[in-house]
Each structure stands twice: as structure tokens, then as C-alpha cells.
Amino acid sequence: MKKYIYYVACVMLLGGCKDVLDKPDLNAINPALWNNEATATQYLNRLYDRSMPTQGFGGNSNLSDEAPSVTNETPNSADTMYGRLGIDAVGNYSLATYQRIRDINIAIEDVDKGTLSPEVKARIKGQAQVMRAWEYWELVRLYGGVPMVLTAFDPFMDDMQTPRHTTSQAIDIIIADLDEAIAGLPAQWGSSERGRVTRGAAAALKARILLYWASPQFNPTDEAQRWQRAYTASKEAKELVDQDGKGLHNNFGTMFLVEGQQNKEAVFVRLYDFNTGKTHTWDNSARPRLIGVDGGQSSNPTKQLVDAFPMKNGLPITDPASGYDPVYYWKDRDPRFYSTIVYNGAEYEVQGFPAGRKQWQYYYHNDGSLRSVEPTAPTTTGFYTRKAVDPNIAQTLVKQSGTDWIEIRYAEVLMNLAEAANEIGQINEAYSLLSAIRERAGIEAGDGLYGLKAGMSKEEMRDAIMQERQVEFAFENKRYWDLRRRNLFEEDLNGTRRLGIRTVLKPEFDHDDFLEIRDNIDLDTEFDTYFTIEEWLLDEESAINYPQPQYNFFAIPSNILDRSPAVEQTMGWGSGSFDPLQ
């Protein structure tokens, strides 16, 4: 799959070779393509490359409490977090999206016209149906109902006068695609086909979508049947991926760096590979500038995220019995802390640098002012993230990472089931699932609950699940969507400001002299001899103000409305009349 997912069968597909980046005239596709599994598969490969989820490390972290806002983006993430968005500022509703859907629809429609066996047709169609479900879900979670075009018409050439389906209709169409895909897809593919969607991936995506459908964003009246539907789908997804050999990877820290059959955690994967040139730049973005190229200031963790990690005994740092020390804040934390957070003085070894290297990101006094020890592009929060950073990539190659992106991993299957189980009153099941995740993380078992409070109410368990998701899925493009679907901006974040910390060398120490001894200091016992900690206000401009429910469903872009008068604007935006809750 890694070897040829990026190519199109030129001769049989179009009758002549052309650059694979050119947009083919899909009306010119030779119908014989669907009589041959190899050429039909090559058509699918192009759809994979265009429509499957792309690398999401750090995605939307600055639209949450994971990282600060970034001001050099379009749109500015501060505008989102401070409630200043205009109608055309956010979203992926475009003619290009519907062009990709058209190309998927061609496969779904035309494969049945070929002479392939029913089993092969089901596999090809199932893959295309997962892609269509993904494309439409990407729209629905932003806008609610959208025009659900299921035939191969060209949005660039034909009049796009299809009105928006209701959100409930859109969800049902997406789920129907996934149900058919589950029935037609294999449990697993051969090693040369790694990266193709399986029945387990389709089932896990279905469970995720129905969890959203049951959440307050889509379900403000808390309809119980939606939670039951989400629970049933999540239960079925777990049973299916269990049957297919999936499970928790044995090491949280190396989970993203182990690929293929050795990583049974990967359920729904986008492949990257340095050798094929299909790479991404996460390692450059996350690594401190000194050991990267020109990144280091993206996805710097906030103090809020750092504080969300419990202690190794599983207790939150706010619990007096946890043993937390706010000065030595890194000591005795949940082991996931050390695989996610890089703090001042943390060991950070990478290829090309000395063994035992420590990452220093403190400030020191210089001529009456504070100066960062990092010569260029210092951390914007006092921390860096280590999540999915490969220490074996040479510094010169950090913009060419081949680390696969796992869109859905087994831990999410468990977490989705736990959340739905709690909402329908199956709280013991939720305890069991969270305990399994915490056990894998390396948290101490204690009384068998891995630090979870005994006898929690539904509301307390809900809070525990959301905090567990915050920690487990940090910088995996999950937190923003969780805050949005659960209305947690409105409930917890609005009116607050994101924070970092500045670690400051005490003024009585000459910095030049300190450089000679710092790598030999035992920070676990001597930190407060040399350093103090200052709170760092990141949201200087304004407190967070993410308007909910308005921002739960964004506006349709003006250029779409101008072209397609049948499409109504979303309520809450201008004179919008479309109700996304229907």
C-alpha cells in the first residue's frame, strides 16, 4: 500500500499516461477498469490519497486548552477562541470537497457495472463508502446537515442546486454507508496492502460518529435513544476489533513509532513513508529549534494540559493525598506525562546529539532583564511536546517524517464505549474500560481502580472520562472536538485564560558559571536551589470566549451560497434559517 497508493493506472484508467497530479477527466474513464481488480484498486488508491484523514499531530491544539493561539494563521485562531469569527472564516465546505465526493461516487456507482466477483466488488465498494462517509462527516461535524450528493455529478460544471439535508438525514446516510462497508470489508489485509480500511476501522468510525450524534452539540435535549445507539455501535466496534486482533499497544511512549503488525493499537491509519516521499513535518514542528530546523513553537503545551495529568498513583494533582508538589511538579506523575511533556531539564535524546542530553528552556537575568536560554524561537509556554516525536530522525530530516498517523486507535474504541456506557447507566463497564487504559499507561493499581474515585456518579464519571481523554489523546486532534461536542467551552473554559510557566534561574547565580554545572544538577532534589517558577499569561489579549451553541455549527461560505441559492445559511449566522439540530 505504501508503495503504490500514490499512483493511478494511466493506460487503463484514461487511455494514455499523464502526470498523476493532473486532475483526470473522470468522464473519460474506460468502463473496462471495473472488470479488473488491479485497475479498480489503482483508482481507489488515488481516492485514498485525496480523501483519507491526513496527519493530525497537533491539529487544532491552539483551538483548545492544549496550546496557545497562533496569530499568523488564516483564520487567526485567536479570533476563534475570542469569538470574533466572520461568516467566511472557518470551514472546509467547498466545491473541491464535492469534487472528491464525486470521484468517490463514481467508484460506488460503477463498480457494480463491472464483471468482478461479488466479494471483490464488496471490498472495493466498502473502501469507497468509508471514504464517502469520512468526507461527509468532516462537513457534518462542522455545519450539521449538508447536501448529501450520492451520484456522480460535477460541482464545477453542473448547477449545484441540491438543498441541505437535515442533520439526522445526513447522519443516517453516513451510517448506512459504514454499515454496508463493515459487511463488505475484510478483517485485515495482507502486509503489502497495509493502510487500507478494514471492517474494524469502519465500525470504529461509525461508533465515533454516533457518539458525537448523542453528545450535547447535536443532542442538547439529551435524547436517551441516541446514547443507546452510540453504546450499541461502540460495543459492536470493540467486539469486532477484538476479533480482528486489535488491542492496546504495550508501550504508550512508542505507540506511534511502531508500525505494521507489531502495533495492534492502530485501527484506522494514514500511511507515511520517508522512502516514498510521502512525509509530514510534525517532528520539525514539535522539536525545540536547537534540535530541529525552523519549528519548535507549534503545539507547546499549556499549564492547563500539564496539570491535567494525574500522579502515578492515579490521583489528580488537586487531591491532597496525591503527593503532588507544585515546585517539583514533574515528579511521580502518570507515565504518559513523560511521553508527552518536555519540561525544563528533562532528558531529551535525539540522533546526532550526545547521550543523556537535557533540554533546557529556562530564563536568566541579564542586565536587568530576563533572557531565554534558547537562542532562537524559545518555547511559547515553558514546555514542548514529545508526543509521537521520533528521536531517530536526523536533525536535517525532521521535515520529512514518515511516522504513520493513527486516526482511530484502540484506546479511542475503549474510551468511546466507556463514555456511552456511562450515559446509559452502565457505570461499572466505564470503570473497567478506564482502568484498562490506565493500567496500560503504567498508573499504579492501588485498590484496583488505578486512582479512579470509587462510587462515582454519572456526572463525576463523565468528568473523569473527559479528563482521561484530554491526557490520553493530547495533541492527537481530539481535544478541540471534545470541547465542542460536549459544550465544554461554555461550561469550563469561557472566561479563563491559558497559562504557561517561566522557569527562572535565581539572580544570585551567574549564568556563565551555571552553564558549567547545570548538566550535573539533580533536578529532582536541587531544582529549588537554582530555579523559581513564574506563572505565564498566554491569553493576554482576552479571556477565552468561544460562543456556544453558535460555534457548534459554522456558517456556509458566501461563495457557496452565491452559487447555490438552494443551500440555506446556518441559523445564528447572518439571516440563516437552517436548523442544524433537526
Side-chain angles (χ1 to χ4, degrees):
M1 184 66 168
K2 276 192 172 182
K3 192 180 300 180
Y4 61 76
I5 193 173
Y6 317 111
Y7 301 97
V8 180
C10 295
V11 175
M12 295 198 70
L13 183 61
L14 302 172
C17 286
K18 55 168 44 178
D19 191 308
V20 297
L21 296 180
D22 291 342
K23 187 178 78 173
D25 177 5
L26 293 174
N27 290 318
I29 290 174
N30 187 337
L33 179 152
W34 306 108
N35 299 333
N36 182 287
E37 184 176 2
T39 56
T41 297
Q42 288 167 330
Y43 181 92
L44 278 179
N45 290 345
R46 183 169 183 268
L47 301 183
Y48 269 97
D49 199 37
R50 298 168 71 211
S51 292
M52 283 292 93
T54 54
Q55 184 275 114
F57 296 117
N60 294 304
S61 61
N62 53 3
L63 298 180
S64 73
D65 52 356
E66 285 185 334
S69 292
V70 178
T71 57
N72 59 351
E73 297 175 317
T74 303
N76 186 338
S77 58
D79 288 344
T80 303
M81 295 300 282
Y82 303 153
R84 302 188 304 228
L85 288 178
I87 284 180
D88 293 324
V90 171
N92 57 352
Y93 195 127
S94 68
L95 296 180
T97 300
Y98 277 92
Q99 181 68 51
R100 295 194 302 271
I101 292 170
R102 172 188 184 255
D103 296 349
I104 295 169
N105 286 340
I106 288 173
I108 294 172
E109 288 182 346
D110 289 358
V111 69
D112 285 334
K113 301 174 185 176
T115 59
L116 297 170
S117 70
E119 293 79 11
V120 172
K121 286 181 179 178
R123 288 200 300 269
I124 291 170
K125 192 172 183 179
Q127 291 173 79
Q129 286 171 315
V130 172
M131 294 183 218
R132 185 165 71 180
W134 177 261
E135 289 278 15
Y136 274 128
W137 173 239
E138 286 280 89
L139 292 172
V140 169
R141 70 174 175 173
L142 282 174
Y143 305 102
V146 295
M148 302 294 289
V149 180
L150 305 179
T151 57
F153 89 103
D154 190 340
F156 288 95
M157 301 297 294
D158 302 329
D159 288 336
M160 194 169 177
Q161 298 305 323
T162 305
R164 296 172 73 169
H165 286 67
T166 65
T167 307
S168 60
Q169 289 171 335
I171 292 291
D172 287 344
I173 290 169
I174 292 169
I175 296 304
D177 262 349
L178 292 172
D179 281 337
E180 191 170 348
I182 292 166
L185 288 170
Q188 54 189 344
W189 297 85
S191 58
S192 64
E193 302 295 311
R194 189 175 73 85
R196 297 194 184 280
V197 290
T198 62
R199 63 180 189 175
L205 179 57
K206 173 185 173 181
R208 176 196 283 182
I209 291 169
L210 289 177
L211 186 77
Y212 274 68
W213 182 234
S215 298
Q217 175 192 1
F218 290 91
N219 185 24
T221 58
D222 200 29
E223 295 178 20
Q225 59 86 17
R226 292 200 195 178
W227 283 112
Q228 182 62 53
R229 190 180 180 192
Y231 174 79
T232 300
S234 296
K235 193 81 168 178
E236 291 173 351
K238 181 181 181 301
E239 291 171 355
L240 208 55
V241 296
D242 284 347
Q243 291 173 24
D244 298 345
K246 298 298 182 181
L248 292 171
H249 184 61
N250 59 8
N251 187 322
F252 179 87
T254 64
M255 176 176 51
F256 280 98
L257 305 180
V258 175
E259 298 180 351
Q261 295 181 350
Q262 294 178 314
N263 187 355
K264 61 182 182 178
E265 179 124 359
V267 174
F268 187 11
V269 185
R270 172 73 177 237
L271 302 186
Y272 290 89
D273 188 348
F274 176 82
N275 294 318
T276 65
K278 189 65 176 179
T279 61
H280 57 79
T281 62
W282 168 243
D283 288 79
N284 180 60
S285 297
R287 279 195 190 189
R289 182 71 61 90
L290 186 63
I291 55 174
V293 177
D294 55 8
Q297 293 190 309
S298 296
S299 301
N300 296 158
T302 62
K303 186 175 184 296
Q304 281 89 341
L305 176 59
V306 170
D307 289 349
F309 285 85
M311 303 296 286
K312 68 179 182 181
N313 57 22
L315 297 178
I317 66 171
T318 53
D319 190 324
S322 69
Y324 175 70
D325 184 335
V327 175
Y328 290 84
Y329 60 86
W330 63 89
K331 292 182 65 174
D332 299 326
R333 300 296 290 272
D334 175 345
R336 290 172 293 188
F337 177 95
Y338 308 103
S339 298
T340 308
I341 306 298
V342 180
Y343 53 91
N344 179 61
E347 189 172 290
Y348 198 158
E349 294 185 3
V350 294
Q351 181 179 324
F353 288 82
R357 175 189 177 275
K358 293 182 179 180
Q359 174 60 34
W360 296 104
Q361 51 218 38
Y362 60 85
Y363 284 77
Y364 62 93
H365 294 268
N366 180 270
D367 296 330
S369 63
L370 282 180
R371 178 176 297 179
S372 174
V373 70
E374 298 183 271
T376 57
T379 167
T380 61
T381 66
F383 303 102
Y384 290 100
T385 180
R386 201 193 298 262
K387 188 72 161 285
V389 174
D390 188 347
N392 297 312
I393 297 178
Q395 182 177 13
T396 56
L397 299 177
V398 292
K399 287 188 172 183
Q400 299 168 271
S401 173
T403 303
D404 289 346
W405 166 246
I406 307 176
E407 175 62 36
I408 301 178
R409 53 187 178 89
Y410 187 81
E412 184 187 343
V413 175
L414 299 187
M415 206 81 81
N416 292 347
L417 178 56
E419 186 174 347
N422 180 59
E423 296 297 336
I424 66 167
Q426 301 291 335
I427 196 165
N428 288 336
E429 186 172 9
Y431 267 110
S432 176
L433 294 162
L434 260 63
S435 293
I437 290 170
R438 287 184 155 215
E439 180 181 17
R440 186 275 295 274
I443 289 177
E444 297 169 347
D447 59 1
L449 294 180
Y450 296 88
L452 296 169
K453 178 184 174 182
M456 284 190 280
S457 66
K458 177 192 290 190
E459 291 73 23
E460 288 173 322
M461 176 58 80
R462 182 186 300 145
D463 291 342
I465 289 169
M466 299 314 295
Q467 183 160 352
E468 198 71 24
R469 290 180 67 96
Q470 181 182 10
V471 168
E472 176 76 18
F473 301 130
F475 299 108
E476 294 181 42
N477 196 17
K478 302 291 188 291
R479 179 63 173 170
Y480 167 67
W481 302 104
D482 281 347
L483 293 170
R484 195 166 177 263
R485 71 178 175 87
R486 273 291 186 181
N487 284 340
L488 293 179
F489 283 107
E490 187 68 38
E491 293 181 14
D492 295 337
L493 263 65
N494 283 349
T496 68
R497 297 173 188 256
R498 287 164 289 191
L499 302 171
I501 68 167
R502 282 193 178 94
T503 302
V504 181
L505 182 67
K506 290 183 177 180
E508 57 263 35
F509 294 101
D510 180 85
H511 186 243
D512 290 337
D513 293 337
F514 182 71
L515 291 176
E516 300 297 323
I517 66 169
R518 67 181 185 181
D519 287 331
N520 298 316
I521 293 172
D522 182 356
L523 286 183
D524 286 346
T525 60
E526 298 180 279
F527 175 84
D528 57 351
T529 299
Y530 296 97
F531 294 106
T532 59
I533 295 174
E534 299 176 357
E535 191 171 83
W536 186 354
L537 179 63
L538 307 179
D539 285 308
E540 294 181 327
E541 181 181 353
S542 172
I544 295 171
N545 176 32
Y546 188 99
Q548 288 183 305
Q550 182 192 9
Y551 280 18
N552 284 349
F553 301 99
F554 289 121
I556 302 295
S558 298
N559 68 316
I560 298 294
L561 299 179
D562 292 341
R563 178 183 173 90
S564 307
V567 176
E568 298 175 62
Q569 183 58 278
T570 308
M571 290 175 63
W573 297 90
S575 58
S577 57
F578 180 85
D579 185 355
L581 295 177
Q582 295 300 310

